[in-house]
Amino acid sequence: MKYDHDEIIEKATTLFWKRGFQAAGMRDIQQALDMRPGSIYARFQSKEGLFKLVIEQYAQNSAERLKQVAAAESPLNALYRFFETALTGPDEQRYMRQCLLVKSIAELDIIGDVAKKAVLDSMQTLKAGFSDIIEACIENGELPAHTPTTLAADWLQNQFVGLRAFALMQDENKAIIQMIDKVMIDLKGRWPQKTH
């Protein structure tokens, strides 16, 4: 039986996103992928090797979505839709409201060095995506020209991560939408001029 690589990574992503690295045992992986242990080890060398590929694919997909936001006619409006889509998915996909990378950061000490590097590199990739969005918003006149790109990108990424945790705990989308609205208002606001 030929296994489609993208389909395998998608199934593994769902498993790791729902369960986390540590809680997803080899039996869970075998069942989710419908593969025998020998096939899994031959293809990925280890659970960590599979997890690394999952993280890299997740980051690549996320970075592509961020590029689309930055390239939109109105990057600020596209950013709002990006937040809304990520944070208000249907209940059967509630686990997806939490960032897989952030969930993985909680397990950095146990995922192994190769997967740890993939998680940390992926966070930097997404930070660059948020930076591109800030620059696009400035160029488009949607944010003030004096907006500090690096600081605003760090802040925006932190807001997104925090809102993902917040969204996971909400039963209704109304509070989530209000928080997204607040982020968009604050993004246009004043920034500290000095560091302490």
Side-chain angles (χ1 to χ4, degrees):
M1 179 177 190
K2 185 177 185 288
Y3 295 100
D4 178 62
H5 181 77
D6 292 340
E7 183 181 339
I8 291 170
I9 297 302
E10 185 177 323
K11 288 178 180 179
T13 299
T14 300
L15 175 65
F16 286 126
W17 210 338
K18 286 181 176 179
R19 307 272 320 265
F21 178 81
Q22 185 174 17
M26 280 309 293
R27 286 184 194 250
D28 299 316
I29 294 169
Q30 292 168 38
Q31 185 176 8
L33 304 185
D34 191 26
M35 292 176 73
R36 296 180 183 263
S39 298
I40 294 169
Y41 285 109
R43 192 161 194 166
F44 305 108
Q45 287 73 51
S46 66
K47 176 180 165 181
E48 180 185 355
L50 174 61
F51 187 70
K52 174 187 175 282
L53 292 176
V54 163
I55 292 297
E56 289 172 345
Q57 185 64 48
Y58 176 86
Q60 182 180 344
N61 291 342
S62 298
E64 184 56 40
R65 285 194 300 275
L66 292 175
K67 282 181 187 176
Q68 291 171 358
V69 169
E73 185 176 328
S74 169
L76 197 61
N77 288 339
L79 178 63
Y80 185 95
R81 288 190 305 276
F82 171 79
F83 270 55
E84 187 178 35
T85 300
L87 300 172
T88 62
D91 274 349
E92 63 270 10
Q93 294 177 337
R94 186 173 207 75
Y95 67 93
M96 295 174 78
R97 291 182 178 185
Q98 184 177 22
C99 178
L100 178 59
L101 294 176
V102 173
K103 186 172 189 165
S104 301
I105 286 172
E107 298 184 301
L108 277 183
D109 292 340
I110 59 172
I111 63 175
D113 290 339
V114 171
K116 179 178 180 177
K117 181 176 180 344
V119 169
L120 297 176
D121 288 350
S122 295
M123 288 298 288
Q124 290 302 311
T125 297
L126 298 187
K127 178 181 174 181
F130 282 110
S131 183
D132 291 345
I133 291 168
I134 297 296
E135 288 175 0
C137 287
I138 292 169
E139 288 173 19
N140 205 41
E142 295 178 306
L143 290 178
H146 59 64
T147 303
T149 303
T150 302
L151 179 61
D154 283 343
W155 178 85
L156 188 58
Q157 184 174 25
N158 287 326
Q159 294 303 306
F160 187 60
V161 166
L163 279 177
R164 291 191 85 158
F166 177 78
L168 189 63
M169 300 181 295
Q170 301 306 306
D171 292 327
E172 294 182 15
N173 289 338
K174 182 179 178 184
I176 299 167
I177 297 299
Q178 288 175 325
M179 290 297 160
I180 296 170
D181 289 343
K182 177 64 173 153
V183 168
M184 295 303 137
I185 290 167
D186 289 352
L187 183 57
K188 297 175 190 176
R190 293 179 43 205
W191 294 94
Q193 299 301 314
K194 296 181 183 179
T195 57
H196 298 279

